[in-house]
Amino acid sequence: MAQPDSKKIFFENLSGAGKAIAVLTSGGDAQGMNAAVRAVVRMGLYVGAKVYFIHEGYQGMVDGGENIREATWESVSSMLQVGGTVIGSARCKDFRSHEGRLKAAHNLVKRGITNLCVIGGDGSLTGANLFREEWSGLLSELVQQGLIEADAVQKYSALHIVGMVGSIDNDFCGTDMTIGTDSALHRIIEVVDAIMTTAQSHQRTFVLEVMGRHCGYLALVSALACGADWVLIPEMPPEDGWEEKMCQKLSATRSRGTRLNIIIVAEGAIDRHGKSITSSFVKDLVVKNLGFDTRVTILGHVQRGGTPSAFDRILASRMGVEAVLALLETTANTPACVVSLCGNQSVRVPLMECVQTTQEVQKAMDQKRFEEAVKLRGRSFENNLRTYKLLAHRKPESELPVSNFNVAVLNVGAPAAGMNAAVRSAVRVGISEGHKMFAVSDGFEGFYKGQIKEIKWGDVGGWTGQGGSLLGTKRTLPAKHVDKIAEQMRKYNINALLVIGGFEAFLSLLELSAARGKYDEFCVPMVMVPATVSNNVPGSDLSIGADTALNAITTTCDRIKQSASGTKRRVFIIETMGGYCGYLATVGGLAAGADAAYIYEEPFDIRDLQANVEHLTEKMKTSIQRGLVLRNENSNVNYTTDFIYQLYTEEGRGVFDCRKNVLGHMQQGGAPSPFDRNFGTKISAKAMQWLSQKLVESYRKGRVFANTEDTCCLLGMHARALVFQPVVELKDHTDFVHRIPKEQWWLKLRPLMKILAKYKTSYDVSDSGQVEHVIHSRPKDSDASVAM
């Protein structure tokens, strides 16, 4: 946690001195809103601004008084893990009237507030923009009524608005994800996983109704994440006659030995004629036509409840900081903007462009232009729908193309949650493309031993929710057994390879690529999909399994901190996994509200440790009662977890006591998170489609021959898109000794974590300040849904 020297000391250039910022949450609540409020308050205070809470949304702004209170650093402590919004939210009729907005303006001017950070849905943000447009007129009226002095009009001439979207429905155009959506998916998937066990016991069909009155995102992604048999959403109503088709599919899956069926219905689901499709209607349909034992579960407000996921905490924290930067940089001519997520980057988009696009979706649905509605939702939504159709609906054998290609899929390296979803996706997409799919057990060790067998569509049913690796995975590299592997490639006539794994998978493809000169068997298209909790694979910002590990760390840290709620002043030292990669420690620290995170990539010495202890001691002397310090397992060979624990114990004597915890392999275990299921499914489907394309391109004179660098690639998320990169080209970007990329995007999050922990530090804002248009903010090849 040493404070690096940097020429980019942003608070020297963007001072908030003399400015007043108010934050409010409006409309419905969403998990993660508190993390956004916390980030706005602490970033605002950090730059020297006054920050105010507005309690009860716009109603509190209209009523004034105690509803508008100045915030302190300590007033947002211990709220990161709390669901809902602690400053309250309400729908306000008064604010819709001119008189109500006049009162609100008066209450803000009295406190010198001209910067508003609004966290809510499109209605709340539209109201904020109207308020901004009327501002000067409202101030003139207040002068006429004698409520404010004439010079106040000049002094507070412009109202600046920055929005963040808090909505579990993910129904706002202009951002890949809204605050609260990922947490809502967690609640849904927890219920689905629980239901699947009881449904299998009794051979039942379950109809689940999820939220989404106008948007089917939750229904669609949860269907993709649990492998549901059927999904009904408002944007793409089923074709006429869907009732019979659905029953035929349920009957077919049951006849193949499946003991349960899952149907997911968005609360706003409709048919092609605009008639509502309810969960009870679907249940009655199944009972009447098939006689299956069928139950309905309506999840309701449980989807809004519970603690926010790691993803939502990080997203909200990043957005909150970016919102303060946007307010500091805004001018009288700057349009109101929304801080949004595009791929893996925070961007600013004009508020009203987003609102208008969102309204166009509803207009397209009302006019039955459903294809257009799906497109307007964005490339992420469109790709989710396309992938679901590809994986859920099995074509008859007679309709499948015949490619005569054999494709092998295997897992390499340590197990990571989401691997099974990736394998399922690859197998089903491969079969849909007409290939014969082969599963290799136990990685390259199983490969050279001949543990290879054909895998069918039904063999991977129910795999999405399974943790670990059902195929089995080993760290064995292929170089020592390359002749035997070549022999097995020849024996099974393997024409392409899909490798799902971590750094060992990357090394394996490098070795196989090098062996092409000696063995023609390896002159086939090969692609790797990154899957490791360490998130240390070069060429990809994210790996399958990292999100599940982050949630395990965050949940454990929450529980550990809660265990100290009855004690006075305690600091916890937590060791995370990751090898030499500090991703889990850094991003887990941001999600859990850590005071420090020690990693290999940012060297530290005894002076830094001492400074951190003193910093924590000062905080403990105020109202802060608990401290959290994370350490990456290989951050330093001498400053071990035990050493840091003993140092903090000794130096904190009389102020706080210490406890330590090594999280270990629990970070690799458990059911995969919705993000990892969805990410694994989509990235693997894309990899499989790429293999199909390369197989066709490299088929010459009755055989496949591919020996160019661009036929041995890694598919990774980079900034805003999924990108195929030749593994040979990634060698220059790799630190092979420490098994990490030379450049890692998440290091930019470390200053953010320090700022929120009350350190003075440098913060690089070179990526900030770009306002983008909604239609231009999505690259054409981007189908990465979200990233942290």
Side-chain angles (χ1 to χ4, degrees), residues 723-776:
V723 182
F724 290 94
Q725 299 164 86
V727 291
V728 174
E729 292 181 6
L730 292 171
K731 287 168 71 174
D732 292 339
H733 303 282
T734 306
D735 175 352
F736 286 95
V737 174
H738 298 101
R739 298 160 57 91
I740 55 175
K742 288 180 180 176
E743 291 185 10
Q744 304 191 81
W745 70 273
W746 51 264
L747 286 169
K748 289 186 176 182
L749 298 180
R750 288 187 62 76
L752 191 153
M753 183 189 73
K754 294 173 187 177
I755 287 168
L756 298 180
K758 214 174 183 178
Y759 284 89
K760 281 291 181 185
T761 185
S762 58
Y763 188 61
D764 183 355
V765 294
S766 57
D767 293 337
S768 297
Q770 299 301 313
V771 177
E772 303 189 7
H773 295 288
V774 176
I775 55 171
H776 297 142

Side-chain angles (χ1 to χ4, degrees), residues 57-323:
Y58 287 119
Q59 191 65 56
M61 195 191 295
V62 173
D63 294 342
E66 281 299 301
N67 290 304
I68 305 176
R69 301 178 211 163
E70 191 170 348
T72 65
W73 193 274
E74 289 73 24
S75 61
V76 291
S77 297
S78 302
M79 67 189 290
L80 191 59
Q81 70 273 20
V82 179
T85 166
V86 297
I87 61 173
S89 181
R91 302 190 188 278
C92 177
K93 287 184 179 179
D94 292 339
F95 192 74
R96 294 177 188 174
S97 69
H98 182 81
E99 188 59 37
R101 293 191 291 276
L102 191 66
K103 288 180 182 176
H106 186 213
N107 288 324
L108 294 186
V109 170
K110 280 195 295 186
R111 293 164 179 82
I113 298 169
T114 56
N115 298 280
L116 273 186
C117 182
V118 181
I119 308 167
D122 62 335
S124 302
L125 298 177
T126 303
N129 190 62
L130 175 63
F131 191 40
R132 183 185 71 90
E133 290 174 346
E134 292 182 346
W135 182 256
S136 58
L138 293 171
L139 294 196
S140 297
E141 282 188 54
L142 291 172
V143 171
Q144 289 171 11
Q145 293 178 18
L147 295 173
I148 62 173
E149 298 296 328
D151 62 350
V153 176
Q154 185 64 34
K155 189 176 180 181
Y156 306 116
S157 58
L159 178 68
H160 306 299
I161 303 284
V162 172
M164 287 183 274
V165 188
S167 166
I168 68 166
D169 292 336
N170 202 29
D171 57 353
F172 192 81
C173 298
T175 183
D176 283 346
M177 278 289 252
T178 56
I179 297 167
T181 302
D182 187 70
S183 300
L185 285 170
H186 273 259
R187 301 296 92 78
I188 294 168
I189 294 305
E190 286 163 10
V191 171
V192 172
D193 286 351
I195 278 175
M196 288 177 94
T197 55
T198 181
Q200 284 179 326
S201 302
H202 300 277
Q203 292 199 57
R204 280 181 176 153
T205 296
F206 268 88
V207 181
L208 268 76
E209 183 182 304
V210 302
M211 283 186 166
R213 195 175 304 124
H214 304 293
C215 180
Y217 185 88
L218 288 179
L220 180 57
V221 175
S222 55
L224 197 58
C226 72
D229 296 278
W230 203 269
V231 64
L232 294 158
I233 60 173
E235 290 90 346
M236 186 52 69
E239 300 287 347
D240 290 346
W242 66 272
E243 299 92 339
E244 187 179 343
K245 288 179 183 176
M246 184 186 75
C247 290
Q248 284 174 352
K249 187 189 177 189
L250 297 179
S251 181
T253 55
R254 193 65 69 91
S255 66
R256 288 194 292 267
T258 302
R259 294 181 60 84
L260 79 155
N261 299 111
I262 300 286
I263 302 165
I264 297 183
V265 183
E267 62 178 332
I270 54 173
D271 65 16
R272 288 271 155 176
H273 309 287
K275 183 184 175 185
S276 176
I277 301 175
T278 64
S279 50
S280 58
F281 174 80
V282 175
K283 175 203 168 183
D284 294 341
L285 186 68
V286 174
V287 172
K288 179 184 174 184
N289 289 12
L290 300 174
F292 290 174
D293 185 4
T294 307
R295 298 286 190 275
V296 171
T297 299
I298 299 173
L299 298 189
H301 280 73
V302 72
Q303 294 158 89
R304 290 191 185 278
T307 187
S309 65
F311 182 95
D312 272 328
R313 300 184 197 194
I314 296 156
L315 174 67
S317 297
R318 289 179 69 183
M319 284 185 168
V321 168
E322 185 69 24

Side-chain angles (χ1 to χ4, degrees), residues 618-747:
E618 285 302 309
K619 287 171 69 175
M620 285 286 179
K621 288 177 180 177
T622 61
S623 60
I624 305 295
Q625 297 294 310
R626 287 160 289 178
L628 184 66
V629 175
L630 270 60
R631 177 188 175 273
N632 168 244
E633 57 185 350
N634 289 344
S635 57
N636 189 293
V637 68
N638 294 313
Y639 300 134
T640 63
T641 303
D642 278 337
F643 178 91
I644 292 173
Y645 162 69
Q646 289 168 7
L647 175 72
Y648 271 74
T649 300
E650 182 61 33
E651 296 298 316
R653 195 180 301 278
V655 180
F656 58 80
D657 63 354
C658 274
R659 297 289 186 273
K660 67 174 178 177
N661 197 301
V662 178
L663 300 187
H665 283 76
M666 64 165 287
Q667 295 159 85
Q668 283 184 334
S673 67
F675 181 96
D676 278 330
R677 298 184 197 197
N678 185 262
F679 184 50
T681 297
K682 292 205 291 186
I683 195 172
S684 191
K686 190 173 179 71
M688 199 66 234
Q689 290 168 330
W690 180 86
L691 282 177
S692 295
Q693 179 187 334
K694 293 297 178 185
L695 281 166
V696 172
E697 291 174 0
S698 57
Y699 187 72
R700 299 283 186 277
K701 298 178 181 178
R703 61 166 291 192
V704 172
F705 188 82
N707 66 347
T708 55
E709 289 183 357
D710 66 347
T711 57
C712 183
C713 285
L714 179 146
L715 173 58
M717 175 181 278
H718 182 65
R720 302 192 186 188
L722 291 175
V723 182
F724 290 94
Q725 299 164 86
V727 291
V728 174
E729 292 181 6
L730 292 171
K731 287 168 71 174
D732 292 339
H733 303 282
T734 306
D735 175 352
F736 286 95
V737 174
H738 298 101
R739 298 160 57 91
I740 55 175
K742 288 180 180 176
E743 291 185 10
Q744 304 191 81
W745 70 273
W746 51 264
L747 286 169

